[in-house]
Amino acid sequence: RLHSHDVRYGSGSGQQSVTGVSAADDGNSYWRVRGRTSVVCERGTPVRCGQAIRLTPLGTGRNLHSHHFASPLSGNQEVSAFGEAGEGDYLDDWTVVCSGTYWVRDGEVRFQHASTDVFLSVTGEQYGRPIHGQKEVHGMAASSQNNYWKVMEGIFMQPSEVFKAEQYHAEL
């Protein structure tokens, strides 16, 4: 599970850490899907494959972020959480890579950083203190089995009536 809490990296950017955890009962693994930087995304609007979004952890309000710093354990590209109250910068934008037209609830998805093209990934490197046992999340240049993600639980908004009409009644 993609996870973030207010523990900062001791190297690299010094920004809030983003890790992978297996525990299902930790509120720091809940993320809000938002429109890309400077774009308002209406609640209930389906997310298109290829669309740029921001992911914001509910607990801290900082956005999933990446930049050209080396990640602390693997030396890949660092992924952090950045900004205040959901406001950050263009390095918070991630492109949804999926099959079909829309990101579907039970489908696997990849997130590709819009500025540096790395894929959001998790591998086996584990941290010691103060986040013992949590796995490093980082950006990898190549797609692999380490960068597939799936929604596990959450609040799902139904598509708007306008979208439903557009999707099912395209004929005139």
Side-chain angles (χ1 to χ4, degrees):
R1 294 170 191 269
L2 188 63
H3 184 85
S4 189
H5 49 265
D6 205 7
V7 174
R8 297 186 178 270
Y9 290 123
S11 62
S13 69
Q15 294 175 353
Q16 181 178 302
S17 62
V18 173
T19 62
V21 299
S22 56
D25 61 348
D26 191 322
N28 289 319
S29 297
Y30 295 129
W31 295 74
R32 182 175 161 203
V33 178
R34 303 171 62 215
R36 67 180 166 84
T37 303
S38 302
V39 172
V40 175
C41 181
E42 187 176 323
R43 186 184 322 196
T45 302
V47 176
R48 290 186 174 276
C49 297
Q51 179 179 338
I53 62 167
R54 284 176 294 168
L55 294 169
T56 307
L58 295 180
T60 66
R62 295 184 178 100
N63 298 318
L64 187 67
H65 184 89
S66 193
H67 40 219
H68 292 290
F69 282 94
S71 59
L73 301 179
S74 67
N76 288 308
Q77 187 167 304
E78 182 186 278
V79 171
S80 62
F82 172 77
E84 293 296 327
E87 298 307 317
D89 64 24
Y90 71 98
L91 294 172
D92 301 339
D93 295 341
W94 296 82
T95 301
V96 176
V97 179
C98 52
S99 59
T101 305
Y102 298 99
W103 176 8
V104 295
R105 183 178 186 170
D106 294 325
E108 290 183 328
V109 63
R110 288 183 168 137
F111 300 105
Q112 188 171 25
H113 192 246
S115 295
T116 64
D117 293 331
V118 297
F119 290 93
L120 182 67
S121 303
V122 63
T123 51
E125 297 88 4
Q126 290 190 10
Y127 289 102
R129 291 185 48 195
I131 49 178
H132 178 73
Q134 295 183 17
K135 293 185 177 186
E136 181 185 73
V137 170
H138 50 259
M140 293 181 70
S143 61
S144 73
Q145 78 273 9
N146 297 320
N147 40 56
Y148 279 105
W149 298 88
K150 188 174 180 181
V151 174
M152 300 305 291
E153 63 265 326
I155 299 171
F156 301 93
M157 303 298 171
Q158 293 296 320
S160 68
E161 291 302 318
V162 172
F163 173 76
K164 287 179 184 177
E166 174 186 301
Q167 183 178 13
Y168 299 110
H169 300 288
E171 71 279 352
L172 294 175

